[in-house]
Amino acid sequence: MWAYILKRLLLMIPTLLGVLLLTFVVIQFVPGGPVEQMVSQLQGRDTGGEGAAASGAGYRGRQGVDAARIEEIKALYGFDKPATERFVQMVGQFARFDLGKSFFYPKDVWQLVKEKLPVSISLGLWTFFLSYLISVPLGIAKAVRAGTRFDTLTSLLVLVGYAIPGFVLGVALLVVFGGQLQWFPLRGLTSSNWDTLSWGAKITDYLWHIAMPVTASVLGAFAVTTMLTKNAFLEEIRKQYVLTARAKGLSENKVLYKHVFRNALIPIVTGFPAAFIGAFFAGSLLIETLFSLDGLGLLSYESVMRRDYPVVLGTLYLFTLIGLVTKLISDLCYILVDPRIKYE
């Protein structure tokens, strides 16, 4: 077991390096980097100052930024060094879990992640628990009633829900319930008077704000788990040991919940770690951006748009590492739950 874990941990190193190298190379060819943005700001500022000073002296055109100032800006952002040296330096920092400092925020990347993480955790926890609380009982009910009208209608609803992307549903919720009916707020997790509210009012205000983002996030998540649960139960119900248990005179509930339930939940239970982490990061970008939730998804989007490369690469490194560790935990859970699987 320990040899298997050590092998998987060692395989994470080239995977992380490959992801970082590919992203770093792509970044080198993306136009509009931080140096170009700073030069554009200086040019615009110089133009504005010149226009104010000219006061009717005639338009003299946009003044460029001298080469020495550009070199200073490159040194400020670390672009005065070769790309290979910057990449090696970045990998060394990441190995010490030093994610660097943001170009546009006066903070470390770690500090930014810590500030935004509670919002993503809040959205992810609701999405994870609600999707499983709905999908597992519904999947069991569909498996027991396979082929009935209930199974057909719920399958239709589940597939329709799965076909609608979360952000499309989010837009519809914003337009109908946030704009036309004005039942729910359009953005944020709390109201402006949050600090003055009592504990009960704070809970109500929080649930009022989180209702639409969670609804948009849960729709696609519970559809997949529902069908997985149904298919897993159907596969177990058709096996020989179930027929034997029924032939011995066991009740249907005892057969279902004592024998089938434990075996059918193996692929679902082992998927908990990945689903738990995925609920935080997988669909948070669009939902957080749409509902203006100040979480990791919105931070990643703004960092890409502003070419804040330390935040982009730092969060990518962190998310990739979490994903690899979560995958290892999922595989270990599968092996521990099902003794028929061997580490070799």
Side-chain angles (χ1 to χ4, degrees):
M1 174 180 177
W2 293 110
Y4 173 80
I5 295 176
L6 179 61
K7 178 181 176 182
R8 291 291 300 272
L9 291 175
L10 292 176
L11 286 174
M12 292 181 186
I13 298 175
T15 305
L16 278 171
L17 289 175
V19 171
L20 291 175
L21 178 61
L22 180 61
T23 308
F24 185 84
V25 171
V26 171
I27 283 176
Q28 306 309 307
F29 299 98
V30 175
V35 175
E36 290 81 0
Q37 292 188 26
M38 179 61 72
V39 170
S40 298
Q41 291 178 9
L42 291 175
Q43 288 176 338
R45 190 182 308 163
D46 293 341
T47 302
E50 179 189 339
S55 63
Y59 177 71
R60 295 164 54 189
R62 172 172 292 186
Q63 299 294 321
V65 181
D66 58 82
R69 189 66 181 275
I70 294 178
E71 291 301 323
E72 291 179 3
I73 297 173
K74 288 183 178 180
L76 176 64
Y77 292 122
F79 286 93
D80 57 331
K81 302 174 183 178
T84 53
E85 182 179 349
R86 286 187 280 118
F87 179 75
V88 172
Q89 181 181 358
M90 180 191 69
V91 172
Q93 290 179 344
F94 286 176
R96 302 189 303 269
F97 287 94
D98 179 9
L99 303 183
K101 295 183 178 180
S102 169
F103 286 160
F104 299 99
Y105 296 96
K107 300 177 182 177
D108 295 336
V109 177
W110 267 117
Q111 186 177 355
L112 284 172
V113 171
K114 291 177 183 178
E115 291 178 357
K116 312 297 183 182
L117 192 58
V119 175
S120 297
I121 289 179
S122 178
L123 183 60
L125 284 176
W126 281 110
T127 302
F128 174 78
F129 286 117
L130 285 179
S131 61
Y132 271 88
L133 286 175
I134 296 173
S135 59
V136 173
L138 181 59
I140 296 174
K142 287 174 61 62
V144 173
R145 300 173 177 82
T148 63
R149 181 177 297 179
F150 171 81
D151 182 33
T152 303
L153 291 176
T154 52
S155 295
L156 179 62
L157 293 175
V158 166
L159 293 176
V160 169
Y162 180 70
I164 301 176
F167 69 92
V168 175
L169 177 62
V171 172
L173 292 175
L174 282 174
V175 172
V176 176
F177 296 101
Q180 296 179 354
L181 299 177
Q182 297 183 356
W183 289 356
F184 296 95
L186 296 174
R187 60 183 61 206
L189 276 182
T190 56
S191 299
S192 57
N193 61 337
W194 167 264
D195 295 331
T196 62
L197 299 176
S198 62
W199 278 106
K202 285 183 177 180
I203 295 174
T204 303
D205 182 75
Y206 167 75
L207 294 176
W208 182 47
H209 281 78
I210 200 69
M212 290 200 299
V214 168
T215 302
S217 300
V218 166
L219 188 66
F222 93 90
V224 176
T225 311
T226 299
M227 300 309 295
L228 176 63
T229 305
K230 175 192 173 183
N231 293 332
F233 268 79
L234 282 178
E235 183 179 356
E236 292 297 323
I237 288 173
R238 294 165 181 167
K239 288 185 177 180
Q240 185 65 38
Y241 75 89
V242 176
L243 297 177
T244 304
R246 287 171 175 168
K248 289 182 178 181
L250 295 179
S251 64
E252 192 65 25
N253 287 335
K254 185 172 290 187
V255 172
L256 181 63
Y257 293 105
K258 186 177 180 180
H259 298 281
V260 176
F261 188 79
R262 184 175 65 177
N263 294 325
L265 283 183
I266 288 177
I268 300 171
V269 171
T270 53
F272 274 2
F276 187 73
I277 299 298
F280 297 148
F281 307 118
S284 62
L285 191 153
L286 291 174
I287 299 299
E288 290 181 9
T289 304
L290 185 63
F291 290 94
S292 299
L293 303 179
D294 194 14
L296 291 175
L298 186 59
L299 174 66
S300 301
Y301 172 76
E302 291 178 347
S303 302
V304 171
M305 298 303 296
R306 300 179 67 177
R307 307 296 192 268
D308 196 347
Y309 295 146
V311 178
V312 173
L313 291 169
T315 53
L316 176 68
Y317 167 75
L318 186 62
F319 295 165
T320 305
L321 182 61
I322 292 175
L324 291 173
V325 173
T326 303
K327 181 61 178 174
L328 173 60
I329 295 174
S330 298
D331 292 343
L332 293 178
C333 289
Y334 195 90
I335 294 171
L336 294 174
V337 171
D338 191 351
R340 296 171 296 178
I341 305 299
K342 305 299 180 183
Y343 287 99
E344 292 79 8

